[in-house]
Amino acid sequence: MSVILHDLCGADPSRRFSPYCWRVRMALAHKGIPHEALPWRFTEKATIADAGTDKVPVLRHDGRTVHESWTILEYLEDHWPGVPSLFGGEGGRALARFVNTWSDAVVAPAIAKMVVSDIPGVLAPEDAAYFVQSREKRFGMALAEVTAGRDAAVEAFRRDLHPLRMVLRERPWLSGTTAGAADYIAFGPLQWARCVSAFPLLTPDDPVHAWRGRLLDAFGGMARNAPAEDLT
Amino acid sequence: MSVILHDLCGADPSRRFSPYCWRVRMALAHKGIPHEALPWRFTEKATIADAGTDKVPVLRHDGRTVHESWTILEYLEDHWPGVPSLFGGEGGRALARFVNTWSDAVVAPAIAKMVVSDIPGVLAPEDAAYFVQSREKRFGMALAEVTAGRDAAVEAFRRDLHPLRMVLRERPWLSGTTAGAADYIAFGPLQWARCVSAFPLLTPDDPVHAWRGRLLDAFGGMARNAPAEDLT
């Protein structure tokens, strides 16, 4: 009945930086599920091949493998149904999916264009070569070119966060009076950026910055104490 | 115990077009709450002054007034708590608020810049004068200038809908297996556009278009049968 998470890491195995793995790690902590988060690198695809994917997060539980962060969150809620809930009921589960699509379609791509060139610097050499080649192919340009305009791009990014900010002006958590899956989903890409790049995405006076701080402090400072570059 | 909604109308009192009033009308229909939706015009501020606001929707129930569409949705859920629920539990209520901020911060302003110049044409003369003056002041330019670039703007708008589209590729309703408050909240601005402007916001092959069609058909075609300009 042990739970294992294959969790993306850098050259330093304690540098965990995948936005999708962070969503799962926060959810595991939220539910207090004992687990082992094993370091995994981009070039270790053989380790997770039995899960039918070449990407982490991959969760192993009870002889099964589960992959893709949203699917894992649902799996955790269904297999550890007691409190604390991740979703706060079926309506919350349904709309956490919208937070997930918003985070994946709006937030994560904008962050990628601001931090992707900083990622090779935290990777082991063989991973760095793989990463640069695959991402330069995806973007169709050198990674330094992708992030060259980030001083201007960050302004648009901060505007894109406005729907989240409006909620956080009213209450401490996106999920309501306590943190939940929606918070961890939105937090994942921000923690990704923080772990790989010193480029500051948020200004200290932003309610999103304060909310990120509360999530960094959650679970005994689990996310704050992780190796990171942006310490604002 | 009667319920009255003050509902924005055009020169034709049956043309109801406020995005915020549509959210409430769909929610009233969802819960099957008998009510009267009285036509109200921009220049009839005295009629709702006792509610402490100069904007509709205003709901009257049991000697109370409630205003602002989100507050009214919560009021309906709390005072008619039986099924069908608008939110599907507390987690759903919390995240419907995020759908509301997304709709208000991203969707509605983008639509305004594509349809605002068409609105005076559906208004009574005294309302049209008020509307043009107040909106030209807000935008700092003639309304025709605001919408001049809409053929290009609609492409960005359709991209902005992507988080909603991604959910609707997976299931029929934003709220899950049945429609709920989140659907009505996101639908409001689209129905606003449809009621005042023939400018087509959505392409027929878009899952958002099909979802809008399901909401138009809901409750006996209530929204589809309302006077409108965009009949696509």
Side-chain angles (χ1 to χ4, degrees):
Chain A
M1 291 290 274
S2 71
V3 173
I4 289 171
L5 177 70
H6 295 284
D7 188 15
L8 186 66
C9 72
D12 170 3
S14 71
R15 185 182 302 263
R16 309 297 173 95
F17 63 94
S18 156
Y20 310 108
C21 291
W22 271 108
R23 289 173 178 169
V24 174
R25 289 189 64 197
M26 297 294 279
L28 286 164
H30 177 97
K31 285 198 169 277
I33 299 172
H35 65 278
E36 210 176 347
L38 298 178
W40 179 90
R41 295 196 173 113
F42 285 116
T43 45
E44 296 175 345
K45 300 199 185 294
T47 312
I48 57 170
D50 65 307
T53 182
D54 62 355
K55 294 185 182 67
V56 292
V58 167
L59 189 89
R60 296 184 186 274
H61 171 238
D62 213 8
R64 275 169 288 202
T65 58
V66 193
H67 66 94
E68 205 278 310
S69 65
W70 172 260
T71 306
I72 295 173
L73 295 190
E74 289 203 293
Y75 182 89
L76 296 180
E77 185 78 344
D78 293 338
H79 287 74
W80 285 267
V83 290
S85 168
L86 281 168
F87 295 122
E90 284 310 303
R93 183 190 297 231
L95 295 184
R97 183 63 182 153
F98 176 71
V99 175
N100 205 113
T101 59
W102 175 76
S103 177
D104 286 357
V106 177
V107 181
I111 291 180
K113 289 178 189 160
M114 295 184 285
V115 308
V116 70
S117 61
D118 293 326
I119 294 178
V122 304
L123 299 180
E126 64 275 26
D127 267 25
Y130 161 81
F131 185 86
V132 170
Q133 185 181 30
S134 61
R135 268 51 175 185
E136 291 195 340
K137 186 174 173 192
R138 187 184 297 174
F139 284 105
M141 63 183 85
L143 298 188
E145 286 178 74
V146 176
T147 58
R150 66 184 179 184
D151 289 324
V154 73
E155 302 294 333
F157 168 73
R158 289 170 186 160
R159 284 194 296 276
D160 284 343
L161 294 179
H162 204 60
L164 173 61
R165 183 176 299 117
M166 288 170 76
V167 173
L168 296 174
R169 281 181 183 152
E170 298 174 351
R171 60 191 198 217
W173 305 107
L174 182 51
S175 303
T177 52
T178 57
D183 294 273
Y184 310 139
I185 288 165
F187 172 72
L190 294 170
Q191 175 70 344
W192 168 44
R194 199 182 153 272
C195 290
V196 299
S197 174
F199 183 70
L201 295 183
L202 303 173
T203 58
D205 61 340
D206 189 340
V208 178
H209 185 278
W211 162 82
R212 189 188 68 164
R214 290 189 289 277
L215 287 161
L216 290 171
D217 291 334
F219 316 124
M222 180 177 83
R224 192 181 290 285
N225 295 330
E229 299 298 309
D230 172 14
L231 304 178
T232 61
Chain B
M1 291 290 275
S2 72
V3 173
I4 288 172
L5 177 69
H6 295 285
D7 187 16
L8 186 66
C9 73
D12 170 1
S14 71
R15 186 184 300 264
R16 308 298 173 92
F17 63 95
S18 157
Y20 310 107
C21 292
W22 270 108
R23 289 173 177 169
V24 174
R25 289 188 65 196
M26 298 294 279
L28 285 164
H30 177 97
K31 284 197 168 279
I33 298 171
H35 65 279
E36 212 176 344
L38 298 179
W40 179 91
R41 295 197 172 112
F42 285 116
T43 45
E44 295 174 346
K45 300 201 185 291
T47 311
I48 57 169
D50 64 306
T53 182
D54 62 355
K55 293 184 183 67
V56 292
V58 167
L59 189 90
R60 296 183 186 275
H61 170 239
D62 214 10
R64 276 169 287 202
T65 58
V66 192
H67 66 94
E68 206 279 310
S69 65
W70 171 260
T71 307
I72 295 172
L73 295 191
E74 289 203 293
Y75 182 90
L76 296 179
E77 185 79 345
D78 293 339
H79 287 75
W80 285 267
V83 289
S85 168
L86 281 168
F87 294 122
E90 285 310 303
R93 183 190 297 230
L95 295 185
R97 183 62 181 153
F98 176 70
V99 175
N100 204 115
T101 60
W102 175 76
S103 178
D104 287 357
V106 177
V107 181
I111 291 180
K113 288 179 190 161
M114 294 184 285
V115 308
V116 69
S117 60
D118 293 326
I119 295 178
V122 305
L123 299 180
E126 64 275 24
D127 267 26
Y130 160 82
F131 185 86
V132 170
Q133 185 182 31
S134 61
R135 270 48 175 188
E136 291 195 340
K137 188 176 172 190
R138 187 184 297 173
F139 284 105
M141 65 184 84
L143 298 188
E145 286 179 73
V146 175
T147 58
R150 67 186 178 184
D151 289 326
V154 73
E155 301 295 333
F157 167 74
R158 289 170 187 160
R159 284 193 296 275
D160 284 343
L161 294 179
H162 204 60
L164 172 62
R165 182 177 300 117
M166 286 169 77
V167 173
L168 296 173
R169 280 181 184 152
E170 298 174 350
R171 61 191 197 216
W173 306 108
L174 182 50
S175 303
T177 53
T178 57
D183 294 272
Y184 310 140
I185 289 165
F187 172 71
L190 294 170
Q191 174 70 344
W192 168 45
R194 199 182 153 271
C195 290
V196 300
S197 174
F199 184 71
L201 294 183
L202 303 172
T203 59
D205 60 341
D206 189 341
V208 178
H209 185 278
W211 162 81
R212 188 188 69 164
R214 290 190 289 276
L215 287 161
L216 290 171
D217 291 335
F219 316 125
M222 181 178 82
R224 192 181 291 283
N225 296 329
E229 298 298 310
D230 172 14
L231 304 177
T232 62

